[in-house]
Amino acid sequence: TGKDKAAWLAEKYGFTTLPSVSSLRALRVLAKKAGPGTDPFAGFGNPLLQGDPSNRRGISIVPIFSKGDKADANELRKLSALPETVDELRVIARSLGASNDNVYLGENATEGRVKSLDLSKTNVIAFATHGLIAGELRGLAEPGLVLTPPATATRDDDGVLTASEVAQLKLHPGLVILSACNTASADGTPGAGGLSGLAKAFFYAGSQSLLVSHWAVPSEAAKRLTTEMFTNLKKDPGMGRSEALRRSMMSLAANDTF
């Protein structure tokens, strides 16, 4: 085949990555014990940020944590706004039969709100925001997800939900979507595997499945990938998440506007 007609494996197969082979049995046992969740969805996005929208999710962690173990709220507010995440989360909510009350945006998309909610029975949880990646860490900084910065940063709420804070949540063994940038990147530990950092923290918190990215994501593309995945599942629930995502990927790849 010529280079213009490369045979991409994803054209035929959907993929699921396991943390380890032994984890497959453990995850299945955990899911049986938990049973189905009673809440279909919770989504967090469109944090109150003042930067111009840039159609790109994900920034360097260094300037934000350069003053110590708490994020600098003023620096966080300079990040680019993500207004398109409103539609992204609401479309997912509708696909899952949830209302807009299950979508936490703007002033409601805070660390405090995430930590105060009972997410132990929520089937699907989504974060549509900037991801802070490891690899250029300074001091006590960790990988994290950007939420709405508080007026005054505290240890419990500084505007960044870090990996260690994620690990303390109690989640249903359902699906967590990290619609951000580099959310499957390594946690900074020498020799750490790709599926670590934030992803590992969500497993510790109880999640059974994660949808994450290994590289920087154009915001519009991230929106289309996730929303079409759930549209596909709504049409045919039996196809499974991996196949639904594969079809969404192929649809996006066929669109020459990206």
Side-chain angles (χ1 to χ4, degrees):
T1 349
K3 64 179 181 180
D4 294 335
K5 296 182 180 179
W8 297 100
L9 203 57
E11 290 179 355
K12 293 185 178 180
Y13 303 103
F15 294 93
T16 298
T17 302
L18 291 169
S20 65
V21 175
S22 61
S23 68
L24 181 59
R25 176 177 172 79
L27 290 172
R28 285 177 173 172
V29 170
L30 181 65
K32 285 182 179 179
K33 286 183 178 180
T38 54
D39 302 322
F41 181 66
F44 306 87
N46 193 31
L48 294 179
L49 306 173
Q50 298 171 357
D52 292 333
S54 67
N55 194 35
R56 180 69 60 173
R57 299 183 194 180
I59 34 51
S60 171
I61 199 170
V62 176
I64 293 168
F65 280 94
S66 60
K67 295 183 179 180
D69 61 345
K70 293 190 292 293
D72 187 327
N74 291 326
E75 291 297 324
L76 280 179
R77 292 188 190 96
K78 295 177 184 177
L79 298 176
S80 59
L82 297 166
E84 69 283 349
T85 60
V86 175
D87 288 340
E88 178 178 351
L89 293 172
R90 286 178 175 170
V91 168
I92 295 174
R94 286 197 300 271
S95 298
L96 294 170
S99 73
N100 286 340
D101 291 341
N102 299 101
V103 179
Y104 302 92
L105 305 167
E107 63 183 11
N108 292 315
T110 64
E111 271 193 272
R113 181 57 60 93
V114 174
K115 293 174 180 178
S116 67
L117 290 173
D118 180 4
L119 299 173
S120 63
K121 300 184 184 303
T122 304
N123 285 321
V124 178
I125 302 170
F127 292 88
T129 182
H130 291 295
L132 304 180
I133 63 174
E136 293 183 309
L137 302 185
R138 181 181 299 168
L140 300 176
E142 300 178 58
L145 296 166
V146 174
L147 295 166
T148 293
T152 303
T154 65
R155 287 182 179 272
D156 291 329
D157 185 356
D158 61 358
V160 177
L161 185 67
T162 62
S164 60
E165 291 173 318
V166 168
Q168 295 176 53
L169 300 176
K170 293 182 179 180
L171 304 181
H172 184 268
L175 173 66
V176 171
I177 302 169
L178 304 183
S179 184
C181 163
N182 296 316
T183 42
S185 294
D187 57 9
T189 305
L195 191 59
S196 55
L198 279 172
K200 184 188 293 183
F202 277 99
F203 279 128
Y204 282 137
S207 175
Q208 182 188 26
S209 302
L210 295 168
L211 176 59
V212 295
S213 172
H214 287 272
W215 49 79
V217 183
S219 204
E220 183 62 25
K223 171 184 171 181
R224 290 185 54 182
L225 279 170
T226 55
T227 56
E228 189 164 344
M229 170 186 164
F230 282 100
T231 298
N232 292 336
L233 280 171
K234 188 174 183 180
K235 291 177 181 175
D236 182 3
M239 74 170 57
R241 292 165 181 162
S242 294
E243 176 60 19
L245 178 61
R246 186 195 71 80
R247 295 187 186 188
S248 179
M249 290 167 56
M250 290 299 98
S251 175
L252 188 65
N255 188 323
D256 59 8
T257 60
F258 283 89

